[in-house]
Amino acid sequence: MRRTGTALAAMILAGGGLLAGTVPAVAAPTAVNCAVTWGSLDKAGDSAAGRRLTDVRTGQHECYDRLVFDAQGTSAAAIGYSVRYVDVLHQDPSDAVVPIKGGAILEIMLFAPRYDPATGKPYPPLPAVDVTGYRTFREFKVTGGSEGYTQAGLGVRARLPFRVFQTANHLVVDVAHTW
């Protein structure tokens, strides 16, 4: 009787091993395609009436670094912008040269006032963002603004392709790691 029990237990364990061997293998992850078609020419969006900026943040992705501006509210109303590469960043409105780290500089103009149009009082400044260790970003600065504009500079590793788009109340600037 004991031999039958032992033999039965051995067959069950062996059968379990066979079943475990039939589990399908997990597929290896596929390589990410980082090919971009964005280009490096100037980009501009609707010059609609400005919305107050409430936050700025950054993120790292496999194929690009990302800068995000948050505008007040949750609406998808247009956030006007102009983004372009410049040789030297000049602060608006003083025209003073703003030093910024990187092999190339993106000037970002947002149709967003830095002050409350009703009272003339300035809004709280946007937070500083640290891009230390980013693959493409080198330095970010909010540099100035006037007449309903906010100006920022983004130092990047080289003159690389970038895209700008809006999703809800966020304006996104992505800069590719490579061409």
Side-chain angles (χ1 to χ4, degrees):
M1 183 86 150
R2 189 167 194 188
R3 285 186 187 183
T4 307
T6 304
L8 183 59
M11 288 190 320
I12 290 171
L13 289 174
L18 289 174
L19 290 175
T22 62
V23 173
V26 176
T30 58
V32 174
N33 180 358
C34 289
V36 296
T37 58
W38 308 336
S40 61
L41 297 178
D42 301 0
K43 295 171 179 57
D46 192 344
S47 59
R51 295 169 56 193
R52 177 180 169 221
L53 298 175
T54 58
D55 198 10
V56 62
R57 53 203 158 85
T58 59
Q60 298 179 67
H61 295 265
E62 191 164 346
C63 299
Y64 53 86
D65 287 346
R66 173 168 282 178
L67 175 68
V68 179
F69 294 93
D70 296 332
Q72 187 173 31
T74 57
S75 95
I79 302 169
Y81 64 88
S82 171
V83 182
R84 65 189 180 121
Y85 278 107
V86 294
D87 294 328
V88 176
L89 186 61
H90 292 272
Q91 184 178 35
D92 180 39
S94 72
D95 204 33
V97 173
V98 178
I100 194 158
K101 297 174 188 168
I105 302 166
L106 276 173
E107 178 185 52
I108 303 166
M109 297 292 284
L110 301 158
F111 300 110
R114 297 186 54 183
Y115 58 88
D116 184 333
T119 66
K121 292 184 180 178
Y123 290 130
L126 291 174
V129 292
D130 182 9
V131 295
T132 303
Y134 278 55
R135 187 166 165 193
T136 296
F137 291 173
R138 294 296 180 258
E139 186 174 19
F140 172 77
K141 292 180 181 179
V142 175
T143 56
S146 66
E147 305 294 325
Y149 290 90
T150 295
Q151 179 191 38
L154 179 61
V156 296
R157 181 172 48 80
R159 192 178 180 115
L160 294 162
F162 69 97
R163 67 179 173 183
V164 183
F165 64 93
Q166 181 179 341
T167 175
N169 64 323
H170 314 287
L171 186 74
V172 179
V173 179
D174 290 336
V175 182
H177 295 315
T178 61
W179 270 99

